[in-house]
């Protein structure tokens, strides 16, 4: 029980990596706040958690909307009275080559993946400062760290997340808050399912492990950074990508 009685807010908890993380954390004893824009998926995750005897709530949130994020924090506090862990996992893509990328596609991805991370962390830290401890885990990407064809907007946000992680680690360390990031490689979720087959084939060839990652590969990395085992890890970016770029 590595997260016994911890309260974990997981944005994007309704699908893919976030969904897997909700189950993984619950198995380790956490009370999970499944926070997602997608009500159907989020409610299904919650029902499934309850069926397995786990504790949790679903909160509908748009991380790109500051008021909505504040309500997410209020709902979590009302249910459990504390927030030990924030997993800033919600994210979107809107891929296209630079020459063709519309300003709206640029802005949409910035709003969710970068501004959303800022809103969530800013709303949660008063609670964590009051507690004198907390763990914030952000989600970068191989695309943000090394760049990726067709992802100007997305790569900019995921590189930005690295900057936020290191800045907040420096600002918040003295308040007892650890801030780290996971940078996944290509993981089998709905996000990667949109990528053309020929591009997926190229990606697999580049991975020394010769496969895409699974949501559980990332959930386990989040778990390490959320648990007491990583108490002296701060400001790091944990690459979980099968060794795609070395
Ligand atoms: N890596 C290498 N080559 C790529 C590539 C990539 N990521 N994306 C596209 N290409 C190549 C294509 O293979 C193609 O090569 P050929 O001309 O030799 O066939 C060429 O670029 C043109 O591609 P398209 O014919 O598909 O051009 P398009 O204008 O119709 O579409 C695109 C462009 C929207 C960028 C589309 O190619 C695409 O969706 N590419 C995938 C982008 C991508 O990798 N997204 C990652 C999503 S998963 C994610 O974001 C999670 C994460 O954090 C990693
Ligand atoms: P996914 O598309 O399966 O799930 C994303 C979830 O975020 C969905 O449930 C969606 O409803 C939610 N979401 C989207 N916009 C939201 C908003 N404005 N407010 C609240 N929730 C919102 O994606 P996946 O693959 O599980 O991605 C999770 C995180 O991991 C994202 O930050 C993504 O950028 C990152 N990532 C994913 C990789 C992959 O290969 N799948 C690789 C590297 C990073």
């Amino acid at each position: 029980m590595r997260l016994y009685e911890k309260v974990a807010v997981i944005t994007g908890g309704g699908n893919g990596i976030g969904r897997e993380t909700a189950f993984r954390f619950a198995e380790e004893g956490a009370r999970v706040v499944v926070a997602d824009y997608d009500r159907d998926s989020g409610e299904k995750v919650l029902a499934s958690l309850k069926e397995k005897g786990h504790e949790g709530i679903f909160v509908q949130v748009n991380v790109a909307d500051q008021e909505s994020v504040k309500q997410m924090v209020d709902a979590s506090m009302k249910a459990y009275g504390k927030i030990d862990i924030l997993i800033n996992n919600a994210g979107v893509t809107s891929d296209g080559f630079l020459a063709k990328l519309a300003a709206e596609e640029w802005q949409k991805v910035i709003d969710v993946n970068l501004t959303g991370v800022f809103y969530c962390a800013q709303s949660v830290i008063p609670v964590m400062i009051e507690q004198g401890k907390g763990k914030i885990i952000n989600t970068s990407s191989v695309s943000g760290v090394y760049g990726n064809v067709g992802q100007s907007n997305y790569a900019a946000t995921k590189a930005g997340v690295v900057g936020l992680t290191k800045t907040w680690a420096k600002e918040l360390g003295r308040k007892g808050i650890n801030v780290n990031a996971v940078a996944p490689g290509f993981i089998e979720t709905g996000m990667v399912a949109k990528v053309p087959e020929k591009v997926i084939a190229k990606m697999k060839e580049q991975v020394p492990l010769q496969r895409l990652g699974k949501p559980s590969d990332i959930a386990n990395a989040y778990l390490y950074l959320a648990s007491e085992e990583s108490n002296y890890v701060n400001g790091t970016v944990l690459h979980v990508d099968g060794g795609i770029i070395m």
Side-chain angles (χ1 to χ4, degrees):
M1 288 296 220
R2 292 154 77 189
L3 300 180
Y4 184 62
E5 292 196 341
K6 301 282 186 196
V7 175
V9 175
I10 304 171
T11 70
N15 289 286
I17 294 167
R19 178 180 191 281
E20 184 74 20
T21 304
F23 288 109
R24 190 75 190 87
F25 278 26
E27 283 162 12
E28 295 290 343
R31 300 164 200 173
V32 175
V33 177
V34 178
D36 207 296
Y37 190 64
D38 175 352
R39 177 175 285 281
D40 272 7
S41 301
E43 284 183 342
K44 276 190 194 134
V45 171
L46 183 68
S48 199
L49 283 169
K50 298 253 166 172
E51 261 170 39
K52 291 176 201 258
H54 299 308
E55 177 60 43
I57 57 168
F58 166 70
V59 180
Q60 189 175 31
V61 66
N62 176 6
V63 297
D65 175 341
Q66 195 170 23
E67 202 42 52
S68 173
V69 169
K70 283 183 182 157
Q71 285 167 14
M72 171 187 81
V73 172
D74 288 348
S76 308
M77 289 301 284
K78 194 169 166 221
Y80 298 120
K82 63 172 187 165
I83 298 174
D84 299 295
I85 301 155
L86 168 66
I87 308 287
N88 264 322
N89 167 81
V92 293
T93 54
S94 193
D95 294 346
F97 291 120
L98 173 60
K100 293 195 230 163
L101 192 68
E104 296 75 34
E105 290 180 283
W106 168 264
Q107 198 57 50
K108 182 177 87 179
V109 176
I110 301 285
D111 288 348
V112 177
N113 296 9
L114 192 59
T115 312
V117 170
F118 161 64
Y119 287 156
C120 290
Q122 196 181 50
S123 295
V124 160
I125 58 161
V127 173
M128 291 184 171
I129 289 172
E130 177 76 24
Q131 293 167 179
K133 66 189 284 202
K135 301 230 175 187
I136 297 176
I137 296 134
N138 296 326
T139 313
S140 180
S141 161
V142 62
S143 304
V145 181
Y146 304 107
N148 188 29
V149 172
Q151 292 205 294
S152 303
N153 48 3
Y154 184 84
T157 63
K158 295 300 184 178
V161 162
V162 172
L164 293 177
T165 301
K166 290 178 186 287
T167 299
W168 295 343
K170 286 184 175 174
E171 274 187 31
L172 299 170
R174 68 198 178 96
K175 305 284 184 190
I177 302 170
N178 299 52
V179 187
N180 292 291
V182 174
F186 295 91
I187 311 299
E188 283 167 354
T189 68
M191 190 175 268
V192 165
K194 287 186 266 175
V195 175
E197 197 46 53
K198 61 182 173 185
V199 178
I200 299 267
K202 276 189 206 169
M203 285 167 185
K204 279 190 193 160
E205 276 170 27
Q206 287 164 25
V207 184
L209 291 180
Q210 296 280 292
R211 67 166 176 91
L212 301 185
K214 296 183 189 313
S216 58
D217 292 318
I218 307 308
N220 283 325
Y222 285 154
L223 173 59
Y224 168 65
L225 292 172
S227 75
E228 305 283 323
E229 291 152 33
S230 61
N231 279 354
Y232 201 57
V233 179
N234 193 30
T236 200
V237 179
L238 179 54
H239 298 268
V240 184
D241 59 12
I244 192 167
I245 304 278
M246 278 185 284

